Amino acid sequence: MAHIVLILILLVSGLRSMVQPVTLENESPQRQHLERESLCEPVFEYFPACIDFLTSTKCEKPSFQCCVNVAELNLLAKEGIGPRWICWCIEYMVEGLKPPLNATRISELPIKCHTHLSFPISEGMDCDKV
């Protein structure tokens, strides 16, 4: 049990120092693209575990790993890159995804993972309004 607590503490402390909010308005378009890719790396790492649940009607519940990763993304939304960046990263990642994200599954995700979402999941919302 102590090992699990230690691992969770290390994960949380590592995430807090992983990414800080960045403004890109004064950067060149190429630099902005690179910065966005870099800021999205944690989302690209954590979000794929939830894709099967969010796109399928056959999968009755999200995987354990998906739920763990939602908790990690919630932490990033609150103390890291923020909900707007997570929204942008998810939209970038799922653009053109077949099958597309299922809106019903998006609403079920926090319930089935026994948590809340500190960031929106969508393929077409205006992330600037987050």
Side-chain angles (χ1 to χ4, degrees):
M1 179 70 165
H3 289 93
I4 294 171
V5 172
L6 179 60
I7 291 169
L8 288 174
I9 290 170
L10 291 172
L11 280 171
V12 170
S13 64
L15 280 174
R16 286 187 180 155
S17 64
M18 185 185 302
V19 182
Q20 294 299 317
V22 176
T23 56
L24 304 176
E25 293 82 28
N26 298 326
E27 301 290 341
S28 71
Q30 288 177 333
R31 176 77 176 162
Q32 286 181 12
H33 178 73
L34 290 174
E35 288 291 328
R36 284 188 180 111
E37 291 278 329
S38 175
L39 287 171
C40 288
E41 282 180 18
V43 179
F44 294 165
E45 179 182 342
Y46 297 134
F47 192 69
C50 298
I51 295 290
D52 284 343
F53 174 74
L54 294 171
T55 60
S56 172
T57 55
K58 296 177 184 173
C59 191
E60 290 188 31
K61 64 181 185 174
S63 68
F64 174 78
Q65 191 60 53
C66 169
C67 293
V68 168
N69 290 358
V70 166
E72 301 287 353
L73 289 168
N74 278 334
L75 185 61
L76 279 172
K78 292 176 187 173
E79 299 181 16
I81 61 176
R84 182 177 296 163
W85 274 105
I86 292 174
C87 177
W88 284 328
C89 296
I90 290 172
E91 283 193 351
Y92 177 74
M93 185 175 171
V94 301
E95 184 178 348
L97 184 68
K98 300 291 182 202
L101 296 179
N102 180 319
T104 301
R105 289 306 182 99
I106 292 169
S107 64
E108 291 174 349
L109 183 63
I111 296 164
K112 295 201 178 213
C113 285
H114 307 288
T115 189
H116 67 286
L117 294 179
S118 299
F119 55 92
I121 298 174
S122 172
E123 335 181 25
M125 76 177 304
D126 184 355
C127 294
D128 289 322
K129 294 181 181 178
V130 173

